[in-house]
Amino acid sequence: MEDLKLIGSLLPRDYMVCFATQCPQNHDCMRYLAAQFIPADVEKGVCVYPTACRDGHCRYYSQIRRVRAAKGFGDIFADVKRKDYMPMMAEFKRHIGSGGTYYRYKNGQLLLMPEQQEWIRQLFKRYGYSEDVKFGCYVETYDFR
């Protein structure tokens, strides 16, 4: 239960939650679980209406998923050849975001989900870099998608 209490502190402000107690999918839905741990200072937000559940299925259902997220990536481009650096960086920024978003991921303020980590590894492999990409560190968290 202590682990679940973290959900409120991790919950993105714009995350769509659900209060549908009658929904047959709520037992393993992240949106329903998140609604149970909304921080006390949050008074309004986006939610799924009970009408979204039709014939026992909710179109906004999101399975509870614990993930190993990467926090920061420091100098992953340090060993990249000069000829590869610009095209790789351009592709990288198109995928995860440029400007402030890029630096928030780099500095560990935003977490890289497993799918993003794999995309980054594949980017390096496409350019001929076989050594595994080293991220800053890893944290266990919930995937709020």
Side-chain angles (χ1 to χ4, degrees):
M1 187 64 170
E2 188 63 36
D3 180 46
L4 292 176
K5 290 181 183 176
L6 289 174
I7 291 174
S9 64
L10 299 171
L11 189 62
R13 289 281 183 186
D14 61 346
Y15 188 70
M16 189 182 335
V17 298
C18 178
F19 299 97
T21 56
Q22 78 286 0
C23 179
Q25 293 180 286
N26 71 11
H27 67 283
D28 67 344
C29 180
M30 191 69 225
R31 297 186 191 289
Y32 185 77
L33 181 63
Q36 313 311 305
F37 296 96
I38 294 174
D41 64 329
V42 176
E43 297 178 346
K44 63 183 178 81
V46 181
C47 71
V48 178
Y49 289 0
T51 53
C53 186
R54 299 206 174 125
D55 299 323
H57 298 287
C58 177
R59 59 183 273 181
Y60 298 101
Y61 168 78
S62 177
Q63 185 173 9
I64 297 171
R65 188 169 89 128
R66 295 261 329 185
V67 294
R68 184 174 181 241
K71 189 173 182 178
F73 53 80
D75 295 322
I76 61 172
F77 289 97
D79 295 329
V80 170
K81 295 174 186 167
R82 184 180 298 191
K83 70 178 181 67
D84 296 331
Y85 180 81
M86 291 303 286
M88 283 180 74
M89 183 59 80
E91 198 172 336
F92 189 90
K93 286 184 175 182
R94 272 193 308 274
H95 187 77
I96 69 161
S98 60
T101 303
Y102 168 82
Y103 286 102
R104 289 199 306 275
Y105 277 115
K106 181 178 180 174
N107 297 327
Q109 295 166 318
L110 293 176
L111 299 176
L112 290 161
M113 293 293 118
E115 295 82 4
Q116 291 171 302
Q117 296 169 44
E118 183 56 29
W119 184 90
I120 293 167
R121 287 185 187 99
Q122 292 304 316
L123 171 69
F124 277 75
K125 284 182 183 174
R126 280 196 314 274
Y127 279 85
Y129 298 93
S130 58
E131 191 153 324
D132 196 28
V133 176
K134 303 284 191 273
F135 297 103
C137 66
Y138 294 92
V139 295
E140 292 291 321
T141 189
Y142 290 93
D143 185 1
F144 291 99
R145 281 192 266 164

